[in-house]
Amino acid sequence: MQNTDNKKLILKSLAKHTKELRGEQSQFMLCSENDISCSIISTIERAKKDPQLTTIFKIAEAFDMKAWQFVKMIEEELPKDFSMIEK
């Protein structure tokens, strides 16, 4: 159960940052200008989709970031003791 809860934390942070970085730009414009599926962005922004790594790279590039910078934004919102591995 912990992994499911932790996954939800990641997805919520991903959704929040994707929406914030997109700002007033429509999902359609973001997707059409950056070769990203609109359905994927929609499910990401609703915290329903765990995207592929290549999609993370595309989203980061769409926001003029490196993938590591985008992931770092997501990671910094997680609890300090966050782990996906049950110990």
Side-chain angles (χ1 to χ4, degrees):
M1 186 62 130
Q2 179 186 2
N3 278 340
T4 301
D5 293 339
N6 286 348
K7 182 176 178 178
K8 286 179 185 178
L9 288 174
I10 293 171
L11 294 179
K12 284 181 183 180
S13 181
L14 172 62
K16 174 186 169 187
H17 290 293
T18 302
K19 284 184 227 178
E20 285 177 356
L21 290 167
R22 183 170 58 82
E24 296 296 316
Q25 183 182 31
S26 71
Q27 286 181 349
F28 177 79
M29 289 304 294
L30 173 70
C31 296
S32 64
E33 292 174 356
N34 296 287
D35 190 32
I36 304 169
S37 163
C38 284
S39 64
I40 289 174
I41 290 295
S42 175
T43 56
I44 287 171
E45 288 190 359
R46 290 181 288 125
K48 303 288 183 193
K49 178 77 174 169
D50 189 357
Q52 293 182 348
L53 185 58
T54 54
T55 302
I56 294 293
F57 272 77
K58 283 183 179 184
I59 293 170
E61 189 173 334
F63 298 133
D64 295 319
M65 305 172 83
K66 297 288 186 181
W68 70 265
Q69 293 171 306
F70 186 53
V71 171
K72 184 174 176 150
M73 288 176 67
I74 295 164
E75 184 180 25
E76 287 177 344
E77 191 165 296
L78 301 174
K80 295 284 183 221
D81 61 346
F82 183 85
S83 177
M84 284 301 295
I85 300 171
E86 291 186 42
K87 297 177 182 181

